[in-house]
Amino acid sequence: MPNRLAQSNSPYLLQHQDNPVDWYPWGPEALAQARTKDRPIFLSIGYAACHWCHVMAHESFEDRETAAYMNANFVNIKVDREERPDIDSIYMTAVVALTGSGGWPMSMFLTPDGQPFLGGTYFPPTPRHRLPSFREVLEHVVTLWREQREKAIEAGKQLQGHLGHAEPKTKFSAFQPETLDQAVLSLAQTYDWNGGGWGRAPKFPQPLTVEFLLGRASGGDKLALDMASNALRAMARGGMYDIVGGGFARYSVDDNWLVPHFEKMLYDNGQLARAYLHASLLTKDSQFRQVCERTLDFVVGELRNAQGGFLSSLDADSEGEEGKYYVWSFEEITSEIGELEIRELLIAAYGITEQGNFEGNNILQRVKSDEELAEQFKINPSATNSKLEGALAALLAARSRRVRPGTDDKVLTSWNALMMISFAEAGRYLARPDYTAIARQNAEFLLRELHPSDRLLRSWRAGRAEHNAYLEDYAALILGLLALYQSDPDDRWYAAAERLATEMLLHFRDPAGGFFDTRNDHERLIVRPKNLQDNATPSGNALAATALLQLGAYNANSEWRTLAETMLGAIQGSVRQYPTAFAQWLCAASFTLAEGKEIAVVGNPELSDVGELVAQVWSQWRPFDVAAISSFPPAAEAPALLANRPLQNGRATAYVCRNFACELPVTDPEALAGLLS
């Protein structure tokens, strides 16, 4: 018999609907049951693509004896961390405070009032690797609850004191340009010049840090460019990057990006595609452009629904094995690539062996350059890549016949917005109107399905939208709409961004500064979370500051800009200490300190003179400029940047401004280039 999760809309919760565990979704019914039955709560948090979540489910939650013990002694609650980042944030902070580390599956024990008192992450079915068995943990909690309840309750009260996400207690000072210089030097000191990236295994891609460095590189910082380019090239060799089908896995379990944790998440691919796009624009490196386009094409082919929404993830497992869909035996390579010369070229290029480099199989990672292959096989270097492309296409066709990993097909607002930004920017910079159209359809879908009135929602699946949106959803969607507005200058995108900003300020603003993660009418939890640190995705507060700064460049709203700059000043000490943990803040600070240009172009978009001016605007990447493009006269909902911008001699006209003080208008693309340089 399916349990209570059968009525859920989350693919992760539905994965557990047939467990013998009497699961509840998070909500008033579950909490009331805990109080009525006077039982502790077992809270299990994970997500659909999580490999170790699957492992613990198979080992423990599908075991009838274990489930019977859980049902007799606990109220058991399942939470999809992607739908409820507020709950995940609160209790992950508790797990880290208790154990020193976190991760998923999260296994937390709560009082009936929701206070955490004991927890961890994955627990095995039998003791191993210095971990107790899950059954031992359950029995310990039952004994503690029956015999030393006061101790558990007191532990919960003490632990709750750590959950308020206290902000830095620093006196406000303006964000200093020197902080950006210090961040680059700090990042260089911790950079892995051999393997690429920051930190040791497991190694995460850090797209926000790369984005900050690329912004610095656009102003001539060679050290920043060297780091960013090295990191992107290291990942592009393959392994964590899917050489055959495009797109990135979540992270690498080794120092050299070879063996990935095979799940593919939308947010990683959205942010990494954008980083590779910007690197290609700065360096003119065709490999960077290729990785960007293949990543976007992967999303179109595998993580997009018919309505234009982007899906959340692909599972790490297929047929019960992690990574089975992505790895190759030597025999498979031999049988799929029939032409001997091309097969030998592929084997040499990717170091393919009979022994393999991963559990007897091969993960494709480039080990020889085109030039090295050309010398070995006595062929023209320009022909090497085309031959390899044909071989990879054959492998992709063969892989498509395998059992595909499962898809988490829910649509999350903030993740979609991050992806929308990449499609919108790639559309205009790479002259790919198909990408712009994909971003446009995504915006239409999100505004129609997830913002039906004055309330943005978080999650959509199978025609049903639910859960209050969080700060990150509002702020990311504002930025997505502004990116789309610059690629598809339709005033409705800008107007929607301003409406969302007004809602964000009304419902999320903290009178003490910055923003809470949840709305002021959100479900009451044991604390109201307020996260400042970036994780795999940017923090809501960092995104909000970025959004307000960009909007301020369009509408000259000094209050919004001042609020964002105050937030930046308050976080400056943390940014100096931990630049990789606050990289989106570094991007926001770069934007405001650069004092970029505001560009207004007016004219008839159907005439070539407007097109020539617009092409000049997007002829190179200028990360700190904003552009508004409109027919003349602009509509009432157009940004203030377009107000009082007459045509010159009836021709399309460009205005280049800084802090709304403008140079003389120009009608010639070459003159515009001079103002932009």
Side-chain angles (χ1 to χ4, degrees):
M1 287 276 303
N3 56 41
R4 291 176 178 84
L5 301 184
Q7 302 305 313
S8 300
N9 205 31
S10 156
Y12 175 63
L13 299 189
L14 291 173
Q15 287 175 355
H16 295 270
Q17 65 178 318
D18 294 318
N19 292 171
V21 178
D22 185 18
W23 291 115
Y24 287 81
W26 181 275
E29 181 186 3
L31 301 176
Q33 281 292 312
R35 289 189 290 269
T36 300
K37 294 183 177 181
D38 192 30
R39 291 181 184 175
I41 293 168
F42 172 61
L43 174 65
S44 177
I45 301 180
Y47 58 102
C50 169
H51 170 69
W52 287 103
C53 299
H54 300 331
V55 172
M56 190 167 177
H58 295 322
E59 292 175 341
S60 296
F61 304 149
E62 295 173 8
D63 180 73
R64 293 197 173 276
E65 185 177 341
T66 302
Y69 190 84
M70 294 170 67
N71 295 339
N73 293 283
F74 299 90
V75 170
N76 303 291
I77 300 178
K78 261 287 176 194
V79 167
D80 182 339
R81 66 172 290 262
E82 296 168 354
E83 284 193 335
R84 294 300 304 264
D86 52 339
I87 297 171
D88 180 63
S89 170
I90 291 169
Y91 294 110
M92 183 60 74
T93 303
V95 167
V96 173
L98 284 167
T99 69
S101 62
W104 299 275
M106 187 200 308
S107 303
M108 179 58 74
F109 297 91
L110 321 177
T111 70
D113 293 328
Q115 289 184 326
F117 62 88
L118 190 145
T121 54
Y122 164 78
F123 291 106
T126 57
R128 61 174 180 257
H129 304 305
R130 292 183 291 182
L131 285 174
S133 73
F134 183 52
R135 181 61 180 262
E136 288 173 334
V137 174
L138 294 174
E139 291 172 350
H140 172 71
V141 173
V142 168
T143 300
L144 183 66
W145 189 251
R146 289 175 179 169
E147 300 177 7
Q148 296 179 292
R149 183 174 304 193
E150 296 78 10
K151 183 178 178 180
I153 292 173
E154 181 59 29
K157 289 179 180 177
Q158 292 182 8
L159 189 56
Q160 186 168 343
H162 293 279
L163 305 183
H165 301 286
E167 294 181 63
K169 302 298 182 185
T170 57
K171 189 173 182 180
F172 170 74
S173 62
F175 201 99
Q176 300 300 314
E178 292 79 9
T179 299
L180 302 181
D181 300 331
Q182 291 169 8
V184 174
L185 291 175
S186 176
L187 291 169
Q189 289 167 353
T190 57
Y191 189 76
D192 177 4
W193 289 100
N194 292 319
W198 292 266
R200 301 300 302 271
K203 187 173 277 189
F204 291 82
Q206 307 284 3
L208 295 173
T209 301
V210 172
E211 194 65 44
F212 161 66
L213 292 172
L214 291 172
R216 295 280 298 186
S218 72
D221 189 327
K222 184 178 184 302
L223 178 59
L225 181 60
D226 288 346
M227 271 189 284
S229 298
N230 183 276
L232 294 172
R233 288 195 178 96
M235 290 186 289
R237 288 187 297 122
M240 198 189 77
Y241 171 64
D242 182 358
I243 287 288
V244 173
F248 288 84
R250 179 69 196 89
Y251 60 84
S252 172
V253 303
D254 62 280
D255 288 330
N256 295 306
W257 308 106
L258 173 64
V259 181
H261 197 28
F262 287 92
E263 68 225 38
K264 289 183 176 180
M265 312 300 295
L266 180 69
Y267 56 76
D268 288 315
N269 285 283
Q271 294 174 99
L272 285 165
R274 187 172 182 235
Y276 278 93
L277 169 67
H278 294 163
S280 76
L281 297 170
L282 275 178
T283 66
K284 311 305 180 186
D285 188 319
S286 61
Q287 183 192 31
F288 291 155
R289 173 169 179 161
Q290 182 186 66
V291 173
C292 169
E293 290 183 301
R294 285 192 171 175
T295 300
L296 296 177
D297 292 344
F298 152 73
V299 171
V300 173
E302 299 198 48
L303 288 178
R304 184 168 178 255
N305 65 23
Q307 295 92 336
F310 300 122
L311 310 181
S312 293
S313 64
L314 286 181
D315 208 322
D317 300 7
S318 58
E319 300 183 82
E321 293 183 29
E322 184 184 12
K324 184 174 182 179
Y325 186 73
Y326 298 102
V327 300
W328 301 89
S329 69
F330 189 83
E331 291 73 19
E332 286 173 318
I333 297 290
T334 302
S335 64
E336 295 298 341
I337 309 300
E339 188 175 338
L340 179 61
E341 179 191 358
I342 295 179
R343 182 166 70 239
E344 290 181 344
L345 187 68
L346 183 76
I347 288 171
Y350 294 99
I352 298 164
T353 65
E354 293 187 34
Q355 296 77 28
N357 55 16
F358 173 70
E359 298 179 355
N361 289 300
N362 291 275
I363 296 172
L364 299 192
Q365 186 180 72
R366 192 72 178 263
V367 297
K368 289 188 176 180
S369 67
D370 285 352
E371 291 72 22
E372 289 171 321
L373 292 170
E375 182 177 348
Q376 178 179 346
F377 290 93
K378 309 304 180 187
I379 57 176
N380 191 311
S382 62
T384 304
N385 199 49
S386 63
K387 290 177 182 289
L388 288 176
E389 288 298 310
L392 294 175
L395 293 183
L396 181 61
R399 195 172 78 179
S400 68
R401 298 191 292 271
R402 296 177 178 177
V403 177
R404 189 173 177 273
T407 304
D408 184 334
D409 61 349
K410 68 178 180 292
V411 174
L412 296 173
T413 299
S414 63
W415 297 10
N416 270 244
L418 294 174
M419 197 76 245
M420 184 199 305
I421 294 170
S422 291
F423 275 105
E425 291 195 11
R428 67 175 179 263
Y429 283 119
L430 303 182
R432 290 287 303 265
D434 55 326
Y435 286 165
T436 303
I438 288 167
R440 184 188 308 116
Q441 187 179 7
N442 184 243
E444 290 168 343
F445 171 81
L446 293 177
L447 293 174
R448 180 181 69 249
E449 299 293 336
L450 286 135
H451 194 251
S453 55
D454 62 347
R455 179 182 297 272
L456 187 64
L457 299 174
R458 167 73 171 177
S459 178
W460 180 99
R461 180 177 176 273
R464 192 167 106 203
E466 55 190 3
H467 302 298
N468 284 335
Y470 300 92
L471 175 64
E472 67 179 69
D473 296 303
Y474 272 88
L477 185 52
I478 292 167
L479 291 168
L481 291 167
L482 292 179
L484 176 58
Y485 172 66
Q486 294 179 88
S487 300
D488 178 39
D490 186 326
D491 293 324
R492 61 178 168 148
W493 309 133
Y494 178 79
E498 276 213 342
R499 285 196 303 273
L500 288 166
T502 301
E503 288 179 32
M504 181 177 76
L505 287 158
L506 178 64
H507 295 292
F508 292 86
R509 191 169 180 178
D510 179 358
F515 296 87
F516 291 108
D517 292 335
T518 55
R519 282 177 63 111
N520 51 6
D521 57 0
H522 190 71
E523 169 193 357
R524 186 177 179 85
L525 302 170
I526 59 171
V527 296
R528 190 177 181 191
K530 183 179 182 181
N531 282 305
L532 303 176
Q533 182 174 319
D534 300 323
N535 288 294
T537 55
S539 77
N541 269 274
L543 286 171
T546 309
L548 292 175
L549 289 169
Q550 287 196 18
L551 282 167
Y554 280 105
N555 62 16
N557 189 320
S558 59
E559 180 186 353
W560 290 5
R561 187 176 184 91
T562 299
L563 171 57
E565 290 175 344
T566 302
M567 294 167 67
L568 284 165
I571 201 71
Q572 185 166 206
S574 298
V575 171
R576 285 173 174 159
Q577 283 187 283
Y578 311 107
T580 57
F582 295 89
Q584 182 61 42
W585 292 100
L586 286 167
C587 294
S590 299
F591 182 89
T592 189
L593 291 172
E595 294 187 344
K597 302 177 183 69
E598 305 111 21
I599 306 159
V601 179
V602 290
N604 186 342
E606 296 179 0
L607 298 180
S608 62
D609 57 351
V610 169
E612 291 169 358
L613 293 176
V614 172
Q616 186 62 58
V617 170
W618 304 128
S619 62
Q620 68 182 76
W621 182 51
R622 300 179 180 90
F624 311 122
D625 296 351
V626 300
I629 301 159
S630 176
S631 300
F632 184 82
E637 63 267 28
L641 178 58
L642 288 165
N644 302 313
R645 308 287 186 217
L647 301 179
Q648 300 294 303
N649 302 318
R651 297 181 61 191
T653 304
Y655 294 78
V656 178
C657 317
R658 182 166 283 164
N659 294 325
F660 278 72
C662 302
E663 303 281 354
L664 292 173
V666 296
T667 58
D668 178 70
E670 290 187 11
L672 176 58
L675 294 178
L676 293 175
S677 64

